[in-house]
Amino acid sequence: MIKYSLCCDNAHTFEGWFSESADFDRQVESGFLTCPICNSGSISKSLMAPSVSTARKKEAKKQMAMDLARQEAIVKLREAVANIRANSEDVGEKFPEEARKIHYGEADARGIIGQASADEVRDLIDEGIEVAPLPDFTDDTN
């Protein structure tokens, strides 16, 4: 599609979209193209700057797509964290102890969440106990 800035003999300006350049000529010759303001059939193309795809425009589009993808990922992450929290028992500071009990079969298997220091997390991982940090969105207003 081609967009033209158009002008009638009464100096009214408007835009028109055409499938090709010759389409504009055919519509003017047939009288099909008229001014939407005064209905004049004397229409001409106005000067207009071409739309050129620049590296900046491409980068801006890419950034916009990345921002949208990031927002969608954050929404999905928030949903996943909410689901984990809703379906897990919060054992607080007893997390390392409860994780070990579950791992070694001393307690029923269940989803747990809680707090652990970096050293406690390293020790759990060294023992083969799978743990992962949960993002905290409680103070995030976005």
Side-chain angles (χ1 to χ4, degrees):
M1 295 295 282
I2 302 171
K3 179 177 82 170
Y4 288 125
S5 291
L6 305 174
C7 183
C8 74
D9 58 350
N10 292 315
H12 298 127
T13 58
F14 55 100
E15 293 178 348
W17 289 84
F18 303 91
S19 60
E20 59 185 359
S21 180
D23 191 27
F24 167 79
D25 296 330
R26 281 192 295 273
Q27 289 187 31
V28 168
E29 288 172 14
S30 69
F32 182 74
L33 186 61
T34 60
C35 174
I37 299 166
C38 67
N39 211 29
S40 171
S42 181
I43 308 295
S44 61
K45 296 179 201 172
S46 300
L47 290 177
M48 59 184 261
S51 178
V52 178
S53 181
T54 65
R56 266 186 266 160
K57 285 183 182 178
K58 288 179 184 175
E59 186 59 33
K61 286 181 184 177
K62 182 179 175 183
Q63 186 63 43
M64 190 181 323
M66 288 173 56
D67 289 347
L68 183 59
R70 181 179 172 272
Q71 289 172 356
E72 290 174 1
I74 289 173
V75 167
K76 288 180 182 179
L77 183 58
R78 284 176 185 274
E79 290 171 357
V81 168
N83 187 36
I84 290 168
R85 289 188 186 284
N87 294 295
S88 300
E89 179 184 344
D90 189 346
V91 294
E93 294 178 3
K94 294 181 182 180
F95 180 82
E97 178 185 337
E98 287 298 315
R100 283 188 179 94
K101 286 180 183 178
I102 293 169
H103 180 74
Y104 293 112
E106 298 169 8
D108 292 335
R110 66 196 189 282
I112 60 170
I113 58 174
Q115 294 86 38
S117 70
D119 288 337
E120 290 171 324
V121 169
R122 275 191 287 277
D123 290 344
L124 290 169
I125 292 171
D126 288 345
E127 292 178 48
I129 301 171
E130 294 182 12
V131 296
L134 265 180
D136 183 10
F137 293 114
T138 56
D139 293 335
D140 191 356
T141 59
N142 290 333

